[in-house]
Amino acid sequence: MLSCVEHPNIVKMIGYCDKGEDHIIVYEFMPLRSLNLHLHDLKPGKKPLDWKTRMKIAEGVAQALEYLHYQKDPPVICCNLKASGILLDEDYKPKLSDFCSAQLGLTWKYSPVKSGIMLTFGYGAPEYALCGKLTSKSDIYSFGVVLLELMCGRKAIDGTITNWSGERNIVSWARPFLSESKFLQLADPLMKGQYPYRGLVQALGLAKMCVQEEPRNRPLTAEVVTTLSNIVSQTYEEACGTSEADPLTSSTMVHRPLAVA
């Protein structure tokens, strides 16, 4: 199955070994390793991801999902999309890895114990936790979590918060800001305001749609790809803080961080 999956944004399987106790799958080498290392575990002196790179990564992941959902025969559910499973080549081009595969039907239902499919905590869609159902819309939910990570810089589950408040989960934490259109408060501080306000609003609006509780309210994979491609293709001013235009009305302004009282 994995040997038949071929897409620029899916890591290529080189071979495998299943002799005795050695059960190994060999993939192509990805020098920049996984996305989560560039978002959450930056080493001292390491430059954080800029806006354009983040959006190109999101677009590439969405294109991989579109391939799995629509262009494979039979179609495939990624099942376990997460930041640590998105690998980066030397040009920060993303490639999916470490995903379970399953034929797509109208609705697939799994027993988490019998199927062996265990979704990473913080990324799994609500319907899987409630009744073991997985569809392409389940992948869209997981993608929405990854998109929030790219935009906000927070982990899907923040282990530094010891209690089980809503702030520990990135979706629960972000929803109040998204519902009140407080987009600037969600932007990753490591971007230091170097992002277009309109692009930020569009990306967070897409994330909000992807993490809807009801699967039918989430966008189709093709719609996600189209939205991200439009964001990536937009051009913005390079300099930060050179314009005094209102960020709510300017379509080209790169946001200047607000002063904190």
Side-chain angles (χ1 to χ4, degrees):
M1 176 66 192
L2 290 174
S3 65
C4 296
V5 175
E6 187 172 351
H7 187 272
N9 296 113
I10 296 179
V11 69
K12 185 179 297 184
M13 190 186 82
I14 305 299
Y16 69 93
C17 173
D18 62 353
K19 291 185 177 180
E21 296 181 356
D22 296 324
H23 297 159
I24 303 169
I25 297 179
V26 183
Y27 292 107
E28 63 178 308
F29 178 63
M30 302 296 288
L32 296 186
R33 303 171 68 187
S34 61
L35 173 61
N36 65 311
L37 297 178
H38 298 267
L39 285 176
H40 312 307
D41 300 307
L42 279 177
K43 295 182 179 180
K46 180 70 174 179
K47 186 178 180 181
L49 298 175
D50 59 29
W51 166 263
K52 184 177 294 185
T53 301
R54 294 176 194 232
M55 296 315 303
K56 289 291 292 183
I57 289 173
E59 180 187 32
V61 173
Q63 289 172 340
L65 289 180
E66 184 181 36
Y67 166 79
L68 293 174
H69 292 171
Y70 298 127
Q71 299 176 31
K72 280 299 298 176
D73 186 17
V76 172
I77 304 175
C78 182
C79 293
N80 200 22
L81 178 62
K82 54 187 177 181
S84 61
I86 299 171
L87 305 183
L88 304 173
D89 69 9
E90 61 275 7
D91 297 319
Y92 290 90
K93 181 179 180 179
K95 297 193 179 188
L96 294 188
S97 70
D98 188 28
F99 60 88
C100 308
S101 60
Q103 296 182 12
L104 272 176
L106 294 178
T107 300
W108 277 80
K109 187 171 183 178
Y110 297 91
S111 164
V113 176
K114 293 181 180 180
S115 69
I117 298 177
M118 299 298 292
L119 305 191
T120 302
F121 187 51
Y123 293 93
E127 61 270 18
Y128 183 75
L130 290 174
C131 51
K133 290 183 179 179
L134 283 174
T135 69
S136 60
K137 292 295 186 76
S138 306
D139 280 350
I140 294 299
Y141 182 94
S142 301
F143 175 81
V145 176
V146 172
L147 187 54
L148 282 175
E149 289 185 90
L150 283 166
M151 295 296 95
C152 307
R154 287 176 59 114
K155 295 182 179 180
I157 297 294
D158 189 345
T160 63
I161 301 177
T162 55
N163 59 45
W164 287 90
S165 65
E167 290 190 357
R168 190 177 187 188
N169 181 294
I170 191 173
V171 175
S172 300
W173 167 79
R175 274 195 175 125
F177 297 103
L178 292 172
S179 62
E180 297 176 16
S181 299
K182 296 180 178 179
F183 302 111
L184 297 181
Q185 296 184 39
L186 290 170
D188 186 352
L190 292 181
M191 288 194 287
K192 297 182 178 179
Q194 298 285 341
Y195 49 81
Y197 182 81
R198 184 178 68 174
L200 179 72
V201 171
Q202 291 173 331
L204 288 173
L206 176 61
K208 178 181 178 180
M209 294 173 62
C210 290
V211 296
Q212 294 288 323
E213 293 283 344
E214 287 291 333
R216 64 176 179 270
N217 294 333
R218 300 170 201 156
L220 298 173
T221 317
E223 295 172 333
V224 173
V225 172
T226 299
T227 300
L228 288 170
S229 297
N230 288 337
I231 296 175
V232 169
S233 66
Q234 294 170 9
T235 56
Y236 305 100
E237 294 177 6
E238 293 297 327
C240 177
T242 59
S243 171
E244 294 299 327
D246 183 353
L248 294 175
T249 59
S250 174
S251 61
T252 60
M253 179 180 178
V254 176
H255 173 62
R256 179 171 60 187
L258 300 177
V260 178

